[in-house]
Amino acid sequence: MSTVPPPPTDPPEARPAPAPTRWPETMNGVASLISAGTALLGLVLGFFVLPAAGVPSPVAPNATTTVAVPGPVTTVTATATVTAAPQDAGGSSASASGGPSGAVLLRDVPVLPESFNPLSAHQATLDGKTRDDAVTAVSYANAGGVRTYYNLGRGYRKLTGLLGLDDSSRNMETDVSIEADGKRLQFVHLSLGRTTPIDVDVTGALRLAITCTAPRSPTGIEGPTVVFSGAALS
């Protein structure tokens, strides 16, 4: 008996290989935005939150950070600029009392109790010019003149200003002496219409004395008005 071979059968159709899983393009964009936001948040924390908490920021005051995210090319650049606070230079440009830089007007320095008819803050006129920064006193004739004492506390080096007689005062001459701890620093003979600049060294001085010799008068009338304009300690 002969054997009949089975009829040929067609080979099974080949199944297509599964396509590789692809990350959606929209998800790439979301990841990029999240990474950029995280970088920007780090910048904000470094500039504002950490310094406010007393932690120095490791980032420079002006910094630019570039973040590259894997996937489609997406580059995010975040720039933050912080204006530094002005540094304290160790002193102000002008004193609170309005004197020259680093100086204190004499009118703002307390007068000691032992003073007699002391200088005090008043507007005055010297040689036709109004002076708003002056200390003045009327040196009454036969009444002991003017004696003004200040405690310097050994904290100053210079006394400066302009001495004269007020334009509206009596035309009488008077003498002014400036002393520090009993040592005469300057002696000025004042007359109407003439001014004398003052610039004396008071380094290390404790007590400052400004005295005006009272003019002599047979009637004891009011004497001249002594003006110390722009008087300042520095």
Side-chain angles (χ1 to χ4, degrees), residues 67-125:
V67 180
V69 182
V73 178
T74 303
T75 302
V76 178
T77 301
T79 302
T81 301
V82 176
T83 302
Q87 298 294 321
D88 185 3
S92 58
S93 61
S95 68
S97 62
S101 179
V104 176
L105 289 176
L106 196 62
R107 68 182 184 186
D108 297 323
V109 179
V111 173
L112 294 178
E114 60 264 35
S115 301
F116 174 81
N117 186 28
L119 295 164
S120 59
H122 285 287
Q123 186 183 77
T125 305

CSV table of all heavy atoms in Angstrom, one decimal, residues 67-125:
chain,number,residue,atom,x,y,z
A,67,VAL,N,18.7,75.6,32.5
A,67,VAL,CA,18.3,74.3,32.8
A,67,VAL,C,18.0,73.5,31.5
A,67,VAL,O,17.1,74.0,30.7
A,67,VAL,CB,17.0,74.2,33.7
A,67,VAL,CG1,16.6,72.8,34.0
A,67,VAL,CG2,17.3,75.0,34.9
A,68,ALA,N,18.7,72.4,31.2
A,68,ALA,CA,18.4,71.6,30.0
A,68,ALA,C,17.7,70.4,30.4
A,68,ALA,O,18.1,69.6,31.3
A,68,ALA,CB,19.8,71.2,29.3
A,69,VAL,N,16.5,70.1,29.8
A,69,VAL,CA,15.6,69.0,30.1
A,69,VAL,C,15.8,67.9,29.0
A,69,VAL,O,15.8,68.2,27.8
A,69,VAL,CB,14.2,69.5,30.2
A,69,VAL,CG1,13.3,68.3,30.6
A,69,VAL,CG2,14.1,70.6,31.2
A,70,PRO,N,16.0,66.6,29.4
A,70,PRO,CA,16.1,65.5,28.4
A,70,PRO,C,14.8,65.5,27.6
A,70,PRO,O,13.7,65.8,28.0
A,70,PRO,CB,16.3,64.3,29.3
A,70,PRO,CG,16.7,64.8,30.6
A,70,PRO,CD,16.1,66.1,30.8
A,71,GLY,N,15.0,64.9,26.4
A,71,GLY,CA,13.8,64.8,25.5
A,71,GLY,C,14.0,65.9,24.4
A,71,GLY,O,15.1,66.3,24.0
A,72,PRO,N,12.9,66.3,23.9
A,72,PRO,CA,12.9,67.4,22.9
A,72,PRO,C,13.7,68.6,23.5
A,72,PRO,O,13.6,68.9,24.7
A,72,PRO,CB,11.4,67.8,22.7
A,72,PRO,CG,10.7,66.5,23.1
A,72,PRO,CD,11.5,65.9,24.2
A,73,VAL,N,14.4,69.3,22.7
A,73,VAL,CA,15.3,70.3,23.1
A,73,VAL,C,14.5,71.5,23.7
A,73,VAL,O,13.7,72.1,23.0
A,73,VAL,CB,16.2,70.9,22.0
A,73,VAL,CG1,17.1,72.0,22.5
A,73,VAL,CG2,17.0,69.7,21.4
A,74,THR,N,14.6,71.7,25.0
A,74,THR,CA,13.8,72.7,25.7
A,74,THR,C,14.8,73.4,26.7
A,74,THR,O,15.3,72.7,27.6
A,74,THR,CB,12.6,72.2,26.5
A,74,THR,OG1,11.8,71.5,25.5
A,74,THR,CG2,11.8,73.3,27.1
A,75,THR,N,15.1,74.6,26.5
A,75,THR,CA,16.0,75.4,27.3
A,75,THR,C,15.3,76.5,28.0
A,75,THR,O,14.6,77.3,27.3
A,75,THR,CB,17.2,75.9,26.6
A,75,THR,OG1,17.9,74.8,25.9
A,75,THR,CG2,18.2,76.6,27.5
A,76,VAL,N,15.3,76.5,29.3
A,76,VAL,CA,14.7,77.6,30.1
A,76,VAL,C,15.8,78.4,30.8
A,76,VAL,O,16.6,77.8,31.5
A,76,VAL,CB,13.7,77.0,31.1
A,76,VAL,CG1,13.1,78.1,31.9
A,76,VAL,CG2,12.6,76.2,30.4
A,77,THR,N,15.8,79.7,30.6
A,77,THR,CA,16.7,80.6,31.3
A,77,THR,C,16.0,81.5,32.3
A,77,THR,O,15.1,82.2,31.9
A,77,THR,CB,17.5,81.4,30.2
A,77,THR,OG1,18.1,80.6,29.3
A,77,THR,CG2,18.5,82.4,30.9
A,78,ALA,N,16.5,81.4,33.5
A,78,ALA,CA,15.9,82.3,34.6
A,78,ALA,C,16.9,83.2,35.1
A,78,ALA,O,18.0,82.8,35.5
A,78,ALA,CB,15.3,81.4,35.7
A,79,THR,N,16.6,84.5,35.1
A,79,THR,CA,17.5,85.5,35.6
A,79,THR,C,16.9,86.3,36.7
A,79,THR,O,15.8,86.7,36.7
A,79,THR,CB,17.9,86.5,34.5
A,79,THR,OG1,18.5,85.7,33.4
A,79,THR,CG2,18.9,87.5,35.0
A,80,ALA,N,17.7,86.4,37.8
A,80,ALA,CA,17.2,87.2,39.0
A,80,ALA,C,18.2,88.2,39.4
A,80,ALA,O,19.4,87.9,39.4
A,80,ALA,CB,16.9,86.2,40.2
A,81,THR,N,17.8,89.4,39.6
A,81,THR,CA,18.7,90.5,40.0
A,81,THR,C,18.2,91.0,41.3
A,81,THR,O,17.1,91.4,41.6
A,81,THR,CB,18.6,91.6,39.0
A,81,THR,OG1,19.0,91.1,37.7
A,81,THR,CG2,19.6,92.8,39.4
A,82,VAL,N,19.2,91.1,42.3
A,82,VAL,CA,18.9,91.6,43.6
A,82,VAL,C,19.8,92.8,43.8
A,82,VAL,O,21.0,92.8,43.6
A,82,VAL,CB,19.2,90.5,44.7
A,82,VAL,CG1,19.0,91.1,46.1
A,82,VAL,CG2,18.3,89.3,44.5
A,83,THR,N,19.2,93.9,44.2
A,83,THR,CA,19.9,95.1,44.5
A,83,THR,C,20.4,95.1,46.0
A,83,THR,O,19.6,95.0,46.9
A,83,THR,CB,19.1,96.4,44.3
A,83,THR,OG1,18.6,96.4,43.0
A,83,THR,CG2,19.9,97.7,44.6
A,84,ALA,N,21.7,95.1,46.2
A,84,ALA,CA,22.2,95.0,47.5
A,84,ALA,C,21.9,96.3,48.3
A,84,ALA,O,21.9,97.4,47.8
A,84,ALA,CB,23.7,94.8,47.5
A,85,ALA,N,21.7,96.1,49.6
A,85,ALA,CA,21.5,97.3,50.5
A,85,ALA,C,22.8,98.1,50.6
A,85,ALA,O,23.9,97.5,50.6
A,85,ALA,CB,21.0,96.8,51.8
A,86,PRO,N,22.7,99.4,50.7
A,86,PRO,CA,23.9,100.2,50.9
A,86,PRO,C,24.6,99.8,52.1
A,86,PRO,O,24.0,99.6,53.2
A,86,PRO,CB,23.3,101.6,51.0
A,86,PRO,CG,21.9,101.5,51.3
A,86,PRO,CD,21.5,100.2,50.8
A,87,GLN,N,25.9,99.7,52.0
A,87,GLN,CA,26.8,99.3,53.1
A,87,GLN,C,27.0,100.5,54.1
A,87,GLN,O,27.1,101.7,53.6
A,87,GLN,CB,28.1,98.8,52.7
A,87,GLN,CG,28.0,97.6,51.8
A,87,GLN,CD,27.5,96.4,52.6
A,87,GLN,OE1,27.8,96.2,53.7
A,87,GLN,NE2,26.6,95.6,52.0
A,88,ASP,N,27.1,100.2,55.3
A,88,ASP,CA,27.3,101.2,56.3
A,88,ASP,C,28.8,101.6,56.2
A,88,ASP,O,29.7,100.7,56.5
A,88,ASP,CB,27.0,100.7,57.7
A,88,ASP,CG,27.1,101.8,58.8
A,88,ASP,OD1,27.5,102.9,58.4
A,88,ASP,OD2,26.9,101.4,60.0
A,89,ALA,N,29.1,102.8,55.9
A,89,ALA,CA,30.5,103.3,55.8
A,89,ALA,C,31.1,103.6,57.1
A,89,ALA,O,32.2,104.1,57.2
A,89,ALA,CB,30.6,104.5,54.8
A,90,GLY,N,30.4,103.4,58.2
A,90,GLY,CA,30.9,103.7,59.5
A,90,GLY,C,30.6,105.1,60.0
A,90,GLY,O,31.2,105.5,61.0
A,91,GLY,N,29.8,105.9,59.3
A,91,GLY,CA,29.5,107.2,59.7
A,91,GLY,C,28.6,107.8,58.7
A,91,GLY,O,28.5,107.5,57.6
A,92,SER,N,27.8,108.8,59.1
A,92,SER,CA,26.9,109.5,58.2
A,92,SER,C,27.6,110.6,57.5
A,92,SER,O,28.6,111.1,58.0
A,92,SER,CB,25.7,110.0,59.0
A,92,SER,OG,26.1,110.8,60.0
A,93,SER,N,27.0,111.0,56.4
A,93,SER,CA,27.6,112.1,55.7
A,93,SER,C,27.3,113.5,56.3
A,93,SER,O,28.0,114.4,56.1
A,93,SER,CB,27.0,112.1,54.3
A,93,SER,OG,25.6,112.3,54.3
A,94,ALA,N,26.3,113.6,57.2
A,94,ALA,CA,26.0,114.8,57.9
A,94,ALA,C,25.5,114.5,59.2
A,94,ALA,O,24.8,113.4,59.4
A,94,ALA,CB,25.0,115.7,57.1
A,95,SER,N,25.7,115.3,60.2
A,95,SER,CA,25.3,115.0,61.5
A,95,SER,C,23.8,115.3,61.6
A,95,SER,O,23.2,116.1,60.8
A,95,SER,CB,26.0,115.9,62.6
A,95,SER,OG,25.7,117.3,62.4
A,96,ALA,N,23.1,114.7,62.7
A,96,ALA,CA,21.7,115.0,62.8
A,96,ALA,C,21.4,116.4,63.2
A,96,ALA,O,20.3,116.9,63.0
A,96,ALA,CB,21.2,114.0,63.9
A,97,SER,N,22.4,117.1,63.7
A,97,SER,CA,22.1,118.5,64.1
A,97,SER,C,22.3,119.5,62.9
A,97,SER,O,22.2,120.7,63.1
A,97,SER,CB,23.1,118.9,65.2
A,97,SER,OG,24.4,118.8,64.8
A,98,GLY,N,22.7,119.0,61.8
A,98,GLY,CA,22.8,119.8,60.6
A,98,GLY,C,24.1,120.5,60.4
A,98,GLY,O,24.3,121.4,59.6
A,99,GLY,N,25.1,120.1,61.2
A,99,GLY,CA,26.5,120.7,61.0
A,99,GLY,C,27.2,120.1,59.8
A,99,GLY,O,26.7,119.3,59.1
A,100,PRO,N,28.5,120.5,59.7
A,100,PRO,CA,29.3,119.9,58.6
A,100,PRO,C,29.4,118.4,58.8
A,100,PRO,O,29.1,117.9,59.8
A,100,PRO,CB,30.6,120.7,58.8
A,100,PRO,CG,30.3,121.9,59.5
A,100,PRO,CD,29.2,121.6,60.4
A,101,SER,N,29.9,117.8,57.8
A,101,SER,CA,30.0,116.3,57.8
A,101,SER,C,30.8,115.9,59.1
A,101,SER,O,31.9,116.3,59.3
A,101,SER,CB,30.8,115.8,56.6
A,101,SER,OG,30.9,114.4,56.6
A,102,GLY,N,30.1,115.1,59.9
A,102,GLY,CA,30.8,114.5,61.1
A,102,GLY,C,30.9,115.5,62.2
A,102,GLY,O,31.5,115.3,63.2
A,103,ALA,N,30.2,116.7,62.2
A,103,ALA,CA,30.3,117.7,63.2
A,103,ALA,C,29.0,117.9,63.9
A,103,ALA,O,27.9,117.5,63.5
A,103,ALA,CB,30.7,119.0,62.5
A,104,VAL,N,29.0,118.6,65.1
A,104,VAL,CA,27.9,118.9,65.9
A,104,VAL,C,27.9,120.4,66.1
A,104,VAL,O,28.9,121.0,66.5
A,104,VAL,CB,27.9,118.2,67.3
A,104,VAL,CG1,26.8,118.6,68.1
A,104,VAL,CG2,27.9,116.6,67.0
A,105,LEU,N,26.8,121.0,65.8
A,105,LEU,CA,26.7,122.5,66.0
A,105,LEU,C,26.7,122.8,67.5
A,105,LEU,O,26.1,122.1,68.3
A,105,LEU,CB,25.4,123.0,65.4
A,105,LEU,CG,25.3,123.0,63.9
A,105,LEU,CD1,23.9,123.5,63.4
A,105,LEU,CD2,26.4,123.9,63.3
A,106,LEU,N,27.4,123.8,67.9
A,106,LEU,CA,27.6,124.2,69.3
A,106,LEU,C,26.3,124.5,69.9
A,106,LEU,O,26.1,124.3,71.1
A,106,LEU,CB,28.6,125.4,69.4
A,106,LEU,CG,29.1,125.7,70.8
A,106,LEU,CD1,30.0,124.5,71.3
A,106,LEU,CD2,30.0,126.9,70.8
A,107,ARG,N,25.3,125.0,69.2
A,107,ARG,CA,24.0,125.3,69.7
A,107,ARG,C,23.3,124.1,70.2
A,107,ARG,O,22.3,124.2,71.0
A,107,ARG,CB,23.1,126.0,68.7
A,107,ARG,CG,22.7,125.2,67.5
A,107,ARG,CD,21.9,125.9,66.5
A,107,ARG,NE,21.4,125.0,65.4
A,107,ARG,CZ,20.8,125.5,64.3
A,107,ARG,NH1,20.6,126.8,64.2
A,107,ARG,NH2,20.4,124.6,63.4
A,108,ASP,N,23.7,122.9,69.8
A,108,ASP,CA,23.0,121.6,70.2
A,108,ASP,C,23.8,121.0,71.3
A,108,ASP,O,23.4,119.9,71.8
A,108,ASP,CB,22.9,120.7,69.0
A,108,ASP,CG,22.1,121.2,67.9
A,108,ASP,OD1,21.0,121.9,68.2
A,108,ASP,OD2,22.4,121.0,66.7
A,109,VAL,N,24.8,121.6,71.8
A,109,VAL,CA,25.6,121.0,72.9
A,109,VAL,C,25.1,121.6,74.2
A,109,VAL,O,25.1,122.9,74.3
A,109,VAL,CB,27.1,121.2,72.7
A,109,VAL,CG1,27.9,120.7,73.9
A,109,VAL,CG2,27.6,120.6,71.4
A,110,PRO,N,24.8,120.9,75.2
A,110,PRO,CA,24.2,121.4,76.5
A,110,PRO,C,25.3,122.4,77.1
A,110,PRO,O,26.5,122.1,77.2
A,110,PRO,CB,23.9,120.2,77.3
A,110,PRO,CG,23.8,119.1,76.4
A,110,PRO,CD,24.7,119.4,75.2
A,111,VAL,N,24.7,123.4,77.7
A,111,VAL,CA,25.6,124.4,78.4
A,111,VAL,C,25.6,123.9,79.9
A,111,VAL,O,24.6,123.6,80.5
A,111,VAL,CB,25.0,125.8,78.3
A,111,VAL,CG1,25.7,126.8,79.2
A,111,VAL,CG2,25.0,126.3,76.9
A,112,LEU,N,26.8,124.0,80.5
A,112,LEU,CA,26.9,123.6,81.9
A,112,LEU,C,26.3,124.6,82.8
A,112,LEU,O,26.3,125.8,82.5
A,112,LEU,CB,28.4,123.3,82.2
A,112,LEU,CG,29.0,122.1,81.5
A,112,LEU,CD1,30.5,122.0,81.8
A,112,LEU,CD2,28.3,120.8,81.7
A,113,PRO,N,25.8,124.1,84.0
A,113,PRO,CA,25.1,125.0,84.9
A,113,PRO,C,25.9,126.2,85.5
A,113,PRO,O,25.3,127.2,85.8
A,113,PRO,CB,24.7,124.1,86.1
A,113,PRO,CG,24.7,122.7,85.5
A,113,PRO,CD,25.8,122.7,84.5
A,114,GLU,N,27.2,126.0,85.6
A,114,GLU,CA,28.0,127.1,86.1
A,114,GLU,C,28.2,128.3,85.2
A,114,GLU,O,28.8,129.3,85.5
A,114,GLU,CB,29.4,126.6,86.6
A,114,GLU,CG,30.2,126.0,85.5
A,114,GLU,CD,30.1,124.5,85.5
A,114,GLU,OE1,29.0,124.0,85.7
A,114,GLU,OE2,31.1,123.9,85.2
A,115,SER,N,27.6,128.2,84.0
A,115,SER,CA,27.7,129.3,83.0
A,115,SER,C,27.0,130.5,83.5
A,115,SER,O,26.0,130.4,84.2
A,115,SER,CB,27.2,128.8,81.6
A,115,SER,OG,27.9,127.7,81.1
A,116,PHE,N,27.4,131.7,83.0
A,116,PHE,CA,26.8,132.9,83.4
A,116,PHE,C,26.4,133.7,82.1
A,116,PHE,O,27.3,133.9,81.3
A,116,PHE,CB,27.7,133.8,84.3
A,116,PHE,CG,27.2,135.1,84.6
A,116,PHE,CD1,26.2,135.3,85.6
A,116,PHE,CD2,27.6,136.3,83.8
A,116,PHE,CE1,25.7,136.6,85.8
A,116,PHE,CE2,27.1,137.5,84.1
A,116,PHE,CZ,26.1,137.7,85.1
A,117,ASN,N,25.2,134.1,81.9
A,117,ASN,CA,24.7,134.8,80.7
A,117,ASN,C,25.3,134.1,79.5
A,117,ASN,O,26.0,134.7,78.7
A,117,ASN,CB,25.2,136.2,80.8
A,117,ASN,CG,24.6,137.1,79.6
A,117,ASN,OD1,23.5,136.8,79.1
A,117,ASN,ND2,25.4,138.1,79.2
A,118,PRO,N,25.0,132.8,79.3
A,118,PRO,CA,25.7,132.0,78.3
A,118,PRO,C,25.2,132.3,76.9
A,118,PRO,O,24.1,132.8,76.7
A,118,PRO,CB,25.4,130.5,78.7
A,118,PRO,CG,24.0,130.7,79.3
A,118,PRO,CD,24.0,132.0,80.1
A,119,LEU,N,26.0,131.8,75.9
A,119,LEU,CA,25.6,131.8,74.5
A,119,LEU,C,24.4,130.9,74.3
A,119,LEU,O,24.3,129.8,75.0
A,119,LEU,CB,26.8,131.3,73.7
A,119,LEU,CG,28.0,132.2,73.6
A,119,LEU,CD1,29.2,131.5,73.0
A,119,LEU,CD2,27.8,133.5,72.8
A,120,SER,N,23.5,131.3,73.5
A,120,SER,CA,22.3,130.4,73.2
A,120,SER,C,22.0,130.6,71.7
A,120,SER,O,22.4,131.6,71.1
A,120,SER,CB,21.2,130.8,74.1
A,120,SER,OG,20.8,132.1,73.9
A,121,ALA,N,21.2,129.7,71.2
A,121,ALA,CA,20.8,129.7,69.8
A,121,ALA,C,19.9,130.9,69.4
A,121,ALA,O,18.8,131.0,70.0
A,121,ALA,CB,20.2,128.4,69.4
A,122,HIS,N,20.3,131.7,68.5
A,122,HIS,CA,19.5,132.8,68.0
A,122,HIS,C,19.9,133.2,66.6
A,122,HIS,O,21.1,133.0,66.2
A,122,HIS,CB,19.7,134.1,68.9
A,122,HIS,CG,19.0,134.0,70.2
A,122,HIS,ND1,17.6,134.1,70.4
A,122,HIS,CD2,19.5,133.8,71.5
A,122,HIS,CE1,17.3,134.0,71.7
A,122,HIS,NE2,18.4,133.8,72.3
A,123,GLN,N,19.0,133.7,65.8
A,123,GLN,CA,19.3,134.2,64.5
A,123,GLN,C,20.1,135.5,64.7
A,123,GLN,O,19.8,136.3,65.6
A,123,GLN,CB,18.0,134.4,63.7
A,123,GLN,CG,18.3,134.8,62.2
A,123,GLN,CD,17.0,135.1,61.5
A,123,GLN,OE1,16.4,136.2,61.6
A,123,GLN,NE2,16.6,134.2,60.6
A,124,ALA,N,21.0,135.8,63.8
A,124,ALA,CA,21.8,137.0,63.9
A,124,ALA,C,22.2,137.5,62.6
A,124,ALA,O,21.9,136.8,61.5
A,124,ALA,CB,23.1,136.7,64.7
A,125,THR,N,22.8,138.7,62.5
A,125,THR,CA,23.2,139.3,61.3
A,125,THR,C,24.7,139.7,61.4
A,125,THR,O,25.0,140.5,62.3
A,125,THR,CB,22.4,140.5,60.9
A,125,THR,OG1,21.0,140.1,60.8
A,125,THR,CG2,22.8,141.0,59.5
